PDB file of all heavy atoms in Angstrom:
ATOM      1  N   GLU H   1      -0.151  -3.114 -49.613  1.00 96.00           N
ATOM      2  CA  GLU H   1      -1.009  -3.901 -50.486  1.00 96.00           C
ATOM      3  C   GLU H   1      -2.171  -2.987 -51.150  1.00 96.00           C
ATOM      4  O   GLU H   1      -2.602  -3.367 -52.214  1.00 96.00           O
ATOM      5  CB  GLU H   1      -1.745  -5.098 -49.726  1.00 96.00           C
ATOM      6  CG  GLU H   1      -0.709  -6.211 -49.497  1.00 96.00           C
ATOM      7  CD  GLU H   1      -1.492  -7.482 -49.103  1.00 96.00           C
ATOM      8  OE1 GLU H   1      -2.718  -7.560 -49.108  1.00 96.00           O
ATOM      9  OE2 GLU H   1      -0.752  -8.437 -48.696  1.00 96.00           O
ATOM     10  N   THR H   2      -2.507  -1.912 -50.530  1.00 96.00           N
ATOM     11  CA  THR H   2      -3.547  -1.049 -51.119  1.00 96.00           C
ATOM     12  C   THR H   2      -2.998  -0.383 -52.368  1.00 96.00           C
ATOM     13  O   THR H   2      -3.788   0.217 -53.104  1.00 96.00           O
ATOM     14  CB  THR H   2      -3.976  -0.022 -50.064  1.00 96.00           C
ATOM     15  OG1 THR H   2      -2.782   0.780 -49.672  1.00 96.00           O
ATOM     16  CG2 THR H   2      -4.650  -0.606 -48.862  1.00 96.00           C
ATOM     17  N   ASP H   3      -1.703  -0.361 -52.591  1.00 97.00           N
ATOM     18  CA  ASP H   3      -1.118   0.259 -53.729  1.00 97.00           C
ATOM     19  C   ASP H   3      -1.288  -0.708 -55.046  1.00 97.00           C
ATOM     20  O   ASP H   3      -1.203  -0.186 -56.131  1.00 97.00           O
ATOM     21  CB  ASP H   3       0.401   0.417 -53.613  1.00 97.00           C
ATOM     22  CG  ASP H   3       0.739   1.444 -52.474  1.00 97.00           C
ATOM     23  OD1 ASP H   3      -0.196   2.157 -52.036  1.00 97.00           O
ATOM     24  OD2 ASP H   3       1.853   1.544 -52.139  1.00 97.00           O
ATOM     25  N   MET H   4      -1.736  -1.896 -54.749  1.00 97.00           N
ATOM     26  CA  MET H   4      -1.773  -2.830 -55.887  1.00 97.00           C
ATOM     27  C   MET H   4      -2.777  -2.482 -56.981  1.00 97.00           C
ATOM     28  O   MET H   4      -2.656  -2.653 -58.167  1.00 97.00           O
ATOM     29  CB  MET H   4      -1.982  -4.326 -55.384  1.00 97.00           C
ATOM     30  CG  MET H   4      -0.778  -4.874 -54.714  1.00 97.00           C
ATOM     31  SD  MET H   4      -1.025  -6.676 -54.384  1.00 97.00           S
ATOM     32  CE  MET H   4      -2.250  -6.599 -53.131  1.00 97.00           C
ATOM     33  N   LEU H   5      -3.978  -1.937 -56.464  1.00 97.00           N
ATOM     34  CA  LEU H   5      -5.030  -1.604 -57.403  1.00 97.00           C
ATOM     35  C   LEU H   5      -4.664  -0.487 -58.359  1.00 97.00           C
ATOM     36  O   LEU H   5      -4.707  -0.605 -59.555  1.00 97.00           O
ATOM     37  CB  LEU H   5      -6.317  -1.258 -56.654  1.00 97.00           C
ATOM     38  CG  LEU H   5      -7.510  -0.880 -57.555  1.00 97.00           C
ATOM     39  CD1 LEU H   5      -7.925  -2.103 -58.406  1.00 97.00           C
ATOM     40  CD2 LEU H   5      -8.732  -0.404 -56.714  1.00 97.00           C
ATOM     41  N   PRO H   6      -4.205   0.737 -57.856  1.00 97.00           N
ATOM     42  CA  PRO H   6      -3.770   1.717 -58.799  1.00 97.00           C
ATOM     43  C   PRO H   6      -2.530   1.316 -59.620  1.00 97.00           C
ATOM     44  O   PRO H   6      -2.470   1.737 -60.773  1.00 97.00           O
ATOM     45  CB  PRO H   6      -3.371   2.896 -57.840  1.00 97.00           C
ATOM     46  CG  PRO H   6      -3.259   2.330 -56.486  1.00 97.00           C
ATOM     47  CD  PRO H   6      -4.093   1.129 -56.476  1.00 97.00           C
ATOM     48  N   VAL H   7      -1.598   0.543 -59.036  1.00 96.00           N
ATOM     49  CA  VAL H   7      -0.516   0.158 -59.806  1.00 96.00           C
ATOM     50  C   VAL H   7      -0.824  -0.907 -60.855  1.00 96.00           C
ATOM     51  O   VAL H   7      -0.424  -0.788 -62.051  1.00 96.00           O
ATOM     52  CB  VAL H   7       0.560  -0.455 -58.857  1.00 96.00           C
ATOM     53  CG1 VAL H   7       1.809  -1.074 -59.667  1.00 96.00           C
ATOM     54  CG2 VAL H   7       1.188   0.642 -57.939  1.00 96.00           C
ATOM     55  N   GLY H   8      -1.528  -1.946 -60.534  1.00 96.00           N
ATOM     56  CA  GLY H   8      -1.834  -2.951 -61.401  1.00 96.00           C
ATOM     57  C   GLY H   8      -2.984  -2.689 -62.382  1.00 96.00           C
ATOM     58  O   GLY H   8      -2.844  -2.729 -63.617  1.00 96.00           O
ATOM     59  N   PHE H   9      -4.133  -2.361 -61.777  1.00 97.00           N
ATOM     60  CA  PHE H   9      -5.348  -2.110 -62.539  1.00 97.00           C
ATOM     61  C   PHE H   9      -5.285  -0.710 -63.251  1.00 97.00           C
ATOM     62  O   PHE H   9      -5.550  -0.534 -64.363  1.00 97.00           O
ATOM     63  CB  PHE H   9      -6.535  -2.184 -61.683  1.00 97.00           C
ATOM     64  CG  PHE H   9      -7.871  -2.523 -62.443  1.00 97.00           C
ATOM     65  CD1 PHE H   9      -8.300  -3.828 -62.442  1.00 97.00           C
ATOM     66  CD2 PHE H   9      -8.625  -1.544 -63.114  1.00 97.00           C
ATOM     67  CE1 PHE H   9      -9.506  -4.186 -63.129  1.00 97.00           C
ATOM     68  CE2 PHE H   9      -9.695  -1.843 -63.781  1.00 97.00           C
ATOM     69  CZ  PHE H   9     -10.224  -3.123 -63.753  1.00 97.00           C
ATOM     70  N   GLY H  10      -4.847   0.298 -62.380  1.00 96.00           N
ATOM     71  CA  GLY H  10      -4.857   1.676 -62.851  1.00 96.00           C
ATOM     72  C   GLY H  10      -3.924   1.952 -63.982  1.00 96.00           C
ATOM     73  O   GLY H  10      -4.268   2.695 -64.975  1.00 96.00           O
ATOM     74  N   ALA H  11      -2.694   1.412 -63.906  1.00 95.00           N
ATOM     75  CA  ALA H  11      -1.705   1.625 -64.955  1.00 95.00           C
ATOM     76  C   ALA H  11      -2.206   1.092 -66.346  1.00 95.00           C
ATOM     77  O   ALA H  11      -2.042   1.730 -67.376  1.00 95.00           O
ATOM     78  CB  ALA H  11      -0.370   1.032 -64.633  1.00 95.00           C
ATOM     79  N   MET H  12      -2.907  -0.054 -66.328  1.00 96.00           N
ATOM     80  CA  MET H  12      -3.444  -0.618 -67.507  1.00 96.00           C
ATOM     81  C   MET H  12      -4.580   0.251 -68.165  1.00 96.00           C
ATOM     82  O   MET H  12      -4.683   0.463 -69.348  1.00 96.00           O
ATOM     83  CB  MET H  12      -3.915  -2.052 -67.318  1.00 96.00           C
ATOM     84  CG  MET H  12      -4.466  -2.775 -68.556  1.00 96.00           C
ATOM     85  SD  MET H  12      -3.235  -2.930 -69.910  1.00 96.00           S
ATOM     86  CE  MET H  12      -4.201  -2.425 -71.294  1.00 96.00           C
ATOM     87  N   VAL H  13      -5.431   0.722 -67.283  1.00 96.00           N
ATOM     88  CA  VAL H  13      -6.530   1.578 -67.737  1.00 96.00           C
ATOM     89  C   VAL H  13      -5.954   2.864 -68.397  1.00 96.00           C
ATOM     90  O   VAL H  13      -6.378   3.299 -69.466  1.00 96.00           O
ATOM     91  CB  VAL H  13      -7.434   1.965 -66.499  1.00 96.00           C
ATOM     92  CG1 VAL H  13      -8.371   3.082 -66.894  1.00 96.00           C
ATOM     93  CG2 VAL H  13      -8.260   0.760 -66.036  1.00 96.00           C
ATOM     94  N   LEU H  14      -4.939   3.437 -67.815  1.00 95.00           N
ATOM     95  CA  LEU H  14      -4.305   4.615 -68.380  1.00 95.00           C
ATOM     96  C   LEU H  14      -3.651   4.286 -69.725  1.00 95.00           C
ATOM     97  O   LEU H  14      -3.664   5.080 -70.640  1.00 95.00           O
ATOM     98  CB  LEU H  14      -3.272   5.262 -67.373  1.00 95.00           C
ATOM     99  CG  LEU H  14      -2.608   6.575 -67.850  1.00 95.00           C
ATOM    100  CD1 LEU H  14      -3.746   7.612 -68.053  1.00 95.00           C
ATOM    101  CD2 LEU H  14      -1.711   7.019 -66.773  1.00 95.00           C
ATOM    102  N   GLU H  15      -3.048   3.014 -69.797  1.00 94.00           N
ATOM    103  CA  GLU H  15      -2.423   2.732 -71.099  1.00 94.00           C
ATOM    104  C   GLU H  15      -3.516   2.540 -72.170  1.00 94.00           C
ATOM    105  O   GLU H  15      -3.298   2.870 -73.311  1.00 94.00           O
ATOM    106  CB  GLU H  15      -1.668   1.367 -70.923  1.00 94.00           C
ATOM    107  CG  GLU H  15      -1.055   0.897 -72.228  1.00 94.00           C
ATOM    108  CD  GLU H  15      -0.164  -0.288 -72.126  1.00 94.00           C
ATOM    109  OE1 GLU H  15      -0.175  -0.893 -71.036  1.00 94.00           O
ATOM    110  OE2 GLU H  15       0.457  -0.572 -73.069  1.00 94.00           O
ATOM    111  N   SER H  16      -4.677   2.001 -71.806  1.00 96.00           N
ATOM    112  CA  SER H  16      -5.790   1.864 -72.750  1.00 96.00           C
ATOM    113  C   SER H  16      -6.145   3.273 -73.310  1.00 96.00           C
ATOM    114  O   SER H  16      -6.524   3.406 -74.426  1.00 96.00           O
ATOM    115  CB  SER H  16      -6.934   1.160 -72.123  1.00 96.00           C
ATOM    116  OG  SER H  16      -6.649  -0.198 -71.925  1.00 96.00           O
ATOM    117  N   PHE H  17      -6.144   4.228 -72.365  1.00 96.00           N
ATOM    118  CA  PHE H  17      -6.460   5.630 -72.698  1.00 96.00           C
ATOM    119  C   PHE H  17      -5.426   6.206 -73.721  1.00 96.00           C
ATOM    120  O   PHE H  17      -5.831   6.913 -74.723  1.00 96.00           O
ATOM    121  CB  PHE H  17      -6.566   6.530 -71.565  1.00 96.00           C
ATOM    122  CG  PHE H  17      -7.053   7.889 -71.833  1.00 96.00           C
ATOM    123  CD1 PHE H  17      -8.357   8.063 -72.315  1.00 96.00           C
ATOM    124  CD2 PHE H  17      -6.259   9.024 -71.663  1.00 96.00           C
ATOM    125  CE1 PHE H  17      -8.855   9.350 -72.576  1.00 96.00           C
ATOM    126  CE2 PHE H  17      -6.794  10.296 -71.958  1.00 96.00           C
ATOM    127  CZ  PHE H  17      -8.063  10.471 -72.415  1.00 96.00           C
ATOM    128  N   VAL H  18      -4.212   5.748 -73.539  1.00 93.00           N
ATOM    129  CA  VAL H  18      -3.186   6.185 -74.557  1.00 93.00           C
ATOM    130  C   VAL H  18      -3.541   5.571 -75.943  1.00 93.00           C
ATOM    131  O   VAL H  18      -3.422   6.225 -76.993  1.00 93.00           O
ATOM    132  CB  VAL H  18      -1.742   5.724 -74.153  1.00 93.00           C
ATOM    133  CG1 VAL H  18      -0.741   6.017 -75.224  1.00 93.00           C
ATOM    134  CG2 VAL H  18      -1.359   6.511 -72.851  1.00 93.00           C
ATOM    135  N   GLY H  19      -3.975   4.294 -75.903  1.00 94.00           N
ATOM    136  CA  GLY H  19      -4.363   3.603 -77.139  1.00 94.00           C
ATOM    137  C   GLY H  19      -5.580   4.417 -77.743  1.00 94.00           C
ATOM    138  O   GLY H  19      -5.569   4.536 -79.049  1.00 94.00           O
ATOM    139  N   VAL H  20      -6.561   4.868 -76.940  1.00 96.00           N
ATOM    140  CA  VAL H  20      -7.674   5.684 -77.498  1.00 96.00           C
ATOM    141  C   VAL H  20      -7.198   6.953 -78.192  1.00 96.00           C
ATOM    142  O   VAL H  20      -7.642   7.276 -79.271  1.00 96.00           O
ATOM    143  CB  VAL H  20      -8.701   6.003 -76.384  1.00 96.00           C
ATOM    144  CG1 VAL H  20      -9.734   6.995 -76.861  1.00 96.00           C
ATOM    145  CG2 VAL H  20      -9.261   4.670 -75.790  1.00 96.00           C
ATOM    146  N   ILE H  21      -6.215   7.611 -77.558  1.00 94.00           N
ATOM    147  CA  ILE H  21      -5.706   8.776 -78.115  1.00 94.00           C
ATOM    148  C   ILE H  21      -4.994   8.572 -79.471  1.00 94.00           C
ATOM    149  O   ILE H  21      -5.144   9.309 -80.401  1.00 94.00           O
ATOM    150  CB  ILE H  21      -4.714   9.504 -77.078  1.00 94.00           C
ATOM    151  CG1 ILE H  21      -5.496  10.051 -75.858  1.00 94.00           C
ATOM    152  CG2 ILE H  21      -3.936  10.625 -77.786  1.00 94.00           C
ATOM    153  CD1 ILE H  21      -4.583  10.560 -74.825  1.00 94.00           C
ATOM    154  N   ALA H  22      -4.245   7.397 -79.522  1.00 92.00           N
ATOM    155  CA  ALA H  22      -3.593   7.086 -80.759  1.00 92.00           C
ATOM    156  C   ALA H  22      -4.634   6.823 -81.922  1.00 92.00           C
ATOM    157  O   ALA H  22      -4.466   7.182 -82.995  1.00 92.00           O
ATOM    158  CB  ALA H  22      -2.838   5.814 -80.569  1.00 92.00           C
ATOM    159  N   ILE H  23      -5.804   6.134 -81.524  1.00 94.00           N
ATOM    160  CA  ILE H  23      -6.770   5.869 -82.527  1.00 94.00           C
ATOM    161  C   ILE H  23      -7.379   7.201 -83.068  1.00 94.00           C
ATOM    162  O   ILE H  23      -7.492   7.399 -84.215  1.00 94.00           O
ATOM    163  CB  ILE H  23      -7.896   5.025 -81.892  1.00 94.00           C
ATOM    164  CG1 ILE H  23      -7.413   3.606 -81.590  1.00 94.00           C
ATOM    165  CG2 ILE H  23      -9.070   4.947 -82.838  1.00 94.00           C
ATOM    166  CD1 ILE H  23      -8.364   2.808 -80.737  1.00 94.00           C
ATOM    167  N   VAL H  24      -7.719   8.095 -82.095  1.00 93.00           N
ATOM    168  CA  VAL H  24      -8.292   9.411 -82.586  1.00 93.00           C
ATOM    169  C   VAL H  24      -7.241  10.202 -83.351  1.00 93.00           C
ATOM    170  O   VAL H  24      -7.684  10.760 -84.379  1.00 93.00           O
ATOM    171  CB  VAL H  24      -8.684  10.152 -81.270  1.00 93.00           C
ATOM    172  CG1 VAL H  24      -9.172  11.601 -81.655  1.00 93.00           C
ATOM    173  CG2 VAL H  24      -9.829   9.476 -80.573  1.00 93.00           C
ATOM    174  N   THR H  25      -6.064  10.224 -82.928  1.00 90.00           N
ATOM    175  CA  THR H  25      -4.989  11.009 -83.622  1.00 90.00           C
ATOM    176  C   THR H  25      -4.868  10.425 -85.068  1.00 90.00           C
ATOM    177  O   THR H  25      -4.823  11.293 -85.963  1.00 90.00           O
ATOM    178  CB  THR H  25      -3.650  10.949 -82.913  1.00 90.00           C
ATOM    179  OG1 THR H  25      -3.815  11.466 -81.569  1.00 90.00           O
ATOM    180  CG2 THR H  25      -2.618  11.758 -83.618  1.00 90.00           C
ATOM    181  N   ALA H  26      -4.711   9.166 -85.225  1.00 88.00           N
ATOM    182  CA  ALA H  26      -4.551   8.589 -86.629  1.00 88.00           C
ATOM    183  C   ALA H  26      -5.799   8.783 -87.441  1.00 88.00           C
ATOM    184  O   ALA H  26      -5.757   8.999 -88.633  1.00 88.00           O
ATOM    185  CB  ALA H  26      -4.176   7.120 -86.503  1.00 88.00           C
ATOM    186  N   GLY H  27      -6.969   8.725 -86.731  1.00 90.00           N
ATOM    187  CA  GLY H  27      -8.234   8.918 -87.408  1.00 90.00           C
ATOM    188  C   GLY H  27      -8.389  10.355 -87.987  1.00 90.00           C
ATOM    189  O   GLY H  27      -8.882  10.574 -89.068  1.00 90.00           O
ATOM    190  N   ILE H  28      -7.903  11.330 -87.224  1.00 87.00           N
ATOM    191  CA  ILE H  28      -7.943  12.719 -87.662  1.00 87.00           C
ATOM    192  C   ILE H  28      -6.909  12.928 -88.748  1.00 87.00           C
ATOM    193  O   ILE H  28      -7.143  13.624 -89.809  1.00 87.00           O
ATOM    194  CB  ILE H  28      -7.662  13.689 -86.513  1.00 87.00           C
ATOM    195  CG1 ILE H  28      -8.841  13.557 -85.505  1.00 87.00           C
ATOM    196  CG2 ILE H  28      -7.461  15.122 -86.984  1.00 87.00           C
ATOM    197  CD1 ILE H  28      -8.582  14.277 -84.166  1.00 87.00           C
ATOM    198  N   MET H  29      -5.735  12.342 -88.595  1.00 80.00           N
ATOM    199  CA  MET H  29      -4.634  12.559 -89.593  1.00 80.00           C
ATOM    200  C   MET H  29      -4.926  11.833 -90.913  1.00 80.00           C
ATOM    201  O   MET H  29      -4.276  12.123 -91.881  1.00 80.00           O
ATOM    202  CB  MET H  29      -3.377  12.051 -88.985  1.00 80.00           C
ATOM    203  CG  MET H  29      -2.846  12.877 -87.803  1.00 80.00           C
ATOM    204  SD  MET H  29      -2.094  14.406 -88.297  1.00 80.00           S
ATOM    205  CE  MET H  29      -0.510  13.872 -88.894  1.00 80.00           C
ATOM    206  N   PHE H  30      -5.874  10.963 -90.946  1.00 76.00           N
ATOM    207  CA  PHE H  30      -6.102  10.122 -92.063  1.00 76.00           C
ATOM    208  C   PHE H  30      -6.453  10.949 -93.306  1.00 76.00           C
ATOM    209  O   PHE H  30      -6.174  10.602 -94.472  1.00 76.00           O
ATOM    210  CB  PHE H  30      -7.260   9.129 -91.808  1.00 76.00           C
ATOM    211  CG  PHE H  30      -7.535   8.113 -92.936  1.00 76.00           C
ATOM    212  CD1 PHE H  30      -6.789   7.008 -93.053  1.00 76.00           C
ATOM    213  CD2 PHE H  30      -8.469   8.472 -93.903  1.00 76.00           C
ATOM    214  CE1 PHE H  30      -7.079   6.071 -94.084  1.00 76.00           C
ATOM    215  CE2 PHE H  30      -8.701   7.564 -94.965  1.00 76.00           C
ATOM    216  CZ  PHE H  30      -8.018   6.434 -94.963  1.00 76.00           C
ATOM    217  N   GLY H  31      -7.094  12.086 -93.092  1.00 64.00           N
ATOM    218  CA  GLY H  31      -7.591  12.934 -94.205  1.00 64.00           C
ATOM    219  C   GLY H  31      -6.397  13.386 -95.089  1.00 64.00           C
ATOM    220  O   GLY H  31      -6.646  13.611 -96.238  1.00 64.00           O
ATOM    221  N   ASP H  32      -5.206  13.588 -94.605  1.00 57.00           N
ATOM    222  CA  ASP H  32      -4.152  14.016 -95.470  1.00 57.00           C
ATOM    223  C   ASP H  32      -3.019  12.953 -95.534  1.00 57.00           C
ATOM    224  O   ASP H  32      -1.846  13.271 -95.669  1.00 57.00           O
ATOM    225  CB  ASP H  32      -3.606  15.314 -95.050  1.00 57.00           C
ATOM    226  CG  ASP H  32      -3.097  15.320 -93.575  1.00 57.00           C
ATOM    227  OD1 ASP H  32      -3.500  14.439 -92.843  1.00 57.00           O
ATOM    228  OD2 ASP H  32      -2.236  16.114 -93.222  1.00 57.00           O
ATOM    229  N   MET H  33      -3.412  11.680 -95.354  1.00 53.00           N
ATOM    230  CA  MET H  33      -2.394  10.655 -95.496  1.00 53.00           C
ATOM    231  C   MET H  33      -3.081   9.490 -96.343  1.00 53.00           C
ATOM    232  O   MET H  33      -4.195   9.561 -96.777  1.00 53.00           O
ATOM    233  CB  MET H  33      -2.104   9.986 -94.094  1.00 53.00           C
ATOM    234  CG  MET H  33      -1.317  11.025 -93.279  1.00 53.00           C
ATOM    235  SD  MET H  33      -0.836  10.263 -91.667  1.00 53.00           S
ATOM    236  CE  MET H  33       0.106  11.632 -90.931  1.00 53.00           C
ATOM    237  N   ASN H  34      -2.215   8.495 -96.675  1.00 47.00           N
ATOM    238  CA  ASN H  34      -2.747   7.410 -97.492  1.00 47.00           C
ATOM    239  C   ASN H  34      -2.414   6.081 -96.861  1.00 47.00           C
ATOM    240  O   ASN H  34      -1.619   6.065 -95.869  1.00 47.00           O
ATOM    241  CB  ASN H  34      -2.127   7.475 -98.792  1.00 47.00           C
ATOM    242  CG  ASN H  34      -0.607   7.453 -98.773  1.00 47.00           C
ATOM    243  OD1 ASN H  34      -0.031   6.373 -98.618  1.00 47.00           O
ATOM    244  ND2 ASN H  34      -0.020   8.584 -99.033  1.00 47.00           N
ATOM    245  N   THR H  35      -2.987   4.993 -97.297  1.00 42.00           N
ATOM    246  CA  THR H  35      -2.645   3.707 -96.700  1.00 42.00           C
ATOM    247  C   THR H  35      -1.776   3.024 -97.663  1.00 42.00           C
ATOM    248  O   THR H  35      -2.133   2.578 -98.760  1.00 42.00           O
ATOM    249  CB  THR H  35      -3.984   2.881 -96.554  1.00 42.00           C
ATOM    250  OG1 THR H  35      -4.692   2.873 -97.828  1.00 42.00           O
ATOM    251  CG2 THR H  35      -4.882   3.463 -95.502  1.00 42.00           C
ATOM    252  N   ALA H  36      -0.525   2.858 -97.221  1.00 42.00           N
ATOM    253  CA  ALA H  36       0.504   2.380 -98.191  1.00 42.00           C
ATOM    254  C   ALA H  36       1.092   1.070 -97.670  1.00 42.00           C
ATOM    255  O   ALA H  36       2.117   1.027 -97.005  1.00 42.00           O
ATOM    256  CB  ALA H  36       1.663   3.384 -98.374  1.00 42.00           C
ATOM    257  N   GLY H  37       0.425  -0.004 -98.033  1.00 38.00           N
ATOM    258  CA  GLY H  37       1.044  -1.371 -97.865  1.00 38.00           C
ATOM    259  C   GLY H  37       1.026  -2.031 -96.493  1.00 38.00           C
ATOM    260  O   GLY H  37       0.672  -3.173 -96.422  1.00 38.00           O
ATOM    261  N   THR H  38       1.338  -1.327 -95.462  1.00 38.00           N
ATOM    262  CA  THR H  38       1.480  -1.976 -94.143  1.00 38.00           C
ATOM    263  C   THR H  38       0.220  -2.043 -93.378  1.00 38.00           C
ATOM    264  O   THR H  38       0.112  -2.793 -92.413  1.00 38.00           O
ATOM    265  CB  THR H  38       2.539  -1.316 -93.335  1.00 38.00           C
ATOM    266  OG1 THR H  38       2.052   0.074 -92.938  1.00 38.00           O
ATOM    267  CG2 THR H  38       3.867  -1.167 -94.047  1.00 38.00           C
ATOM    268  N   GLY H  39      -0.794  -1.267 -93.782  1.00 36.00           N
ATOM    269  CA  GLY H  39      -2.022  -1.207 -93.013  1.00 36.00           C
ATOM    270  C   GLY H  39      -1.914  -0.011 -91.981  1.00 36.00           C
ATOM    271  O   GLY H  39      -2.913   0.475 -91.503  1.00 36.00           O
ATOM    272  N   ALA H  40      -0.664   0.475 -91.783  1.00 37.00           N
ATOM    273  CA  ALA H  40      -0.489   1.723 -90.966  1.00 37.00           C
ATOM    274  C   ALA H  40      -0.664   2.892 -91.913  1.00 37.00           C
ATOM    275  O   ALA H  40      -0.478   2.805 -93.095  1.00 37.00           O
ATOM    276  CB  ALA H  40       0.897   1.721 -90.388  1.00 37.00           C
ATOM    277  N   LEU H  41      -1.052   4.058 -91.353  1.00 39.00           N
ATOM    278  CA  LEU H  41      -1.183   5.225 -92.127  1.00 39.00           C
ATOM    279  C   LEU H  41       0.152   5.816 -92.505  1.00 39.00           C
ATOM    280  O   LEU H  41       1.105   5.748 -91.710  1.00 39.00           O
ATOM    281  CB  LEU H  41      -1.974   6.233 -91.349  1.00 39.00           C
ATOM    282  CG  LEU H  41      -3.307   5.793 -90.846  1.00 39.00           C
ATOM    283  CD1 LEU H  41      -3.976   6.873 -89.970  1.00 39.00           C
ATOM    284  CD2 LEU H  41      -4.233   5.499 -91.977  1.00 39.00           C
ATOM    285  N   ASN H  42       0.339   6.277 -93.701  1.00 41.00           N
ATOM    286  CA  ASN H  42       1.631   6.703 -94.232  1.00 41.00           C
ATOM    287  C   ASN H  42       1.491   8.021 -94.949  1.00 41.00           C
ATOM    288  O   ASN H  42       0.468   8.238 -95.714  1.00 41.00           O
ATOM    289  CB  ASN H  42       2.219   5.652 -95.173  1.00 41.00           C
ATOM    290  CG  ASN H  42       2.598   4.360 -94.458  1.00 41.00           C
ATOM    291  OD1 ASN H  42       3.703   4.237 -93.969  1.00 41.00           O
ATOM    292  ND2 ASN H  42       1.656   3.554 -94.330  1.00 41.00           N
TER     293      ASN H  42
END
């Protein structure tokens, strides 16, 4: 049962960090990309 915190809570926290990296990556790449229709960078 002690595994539940790192498995349940910890995995989600790490996934949120992946989301942060995606935000930063797209934010940096925005300078040489454009916004074409979908709202995603293209």
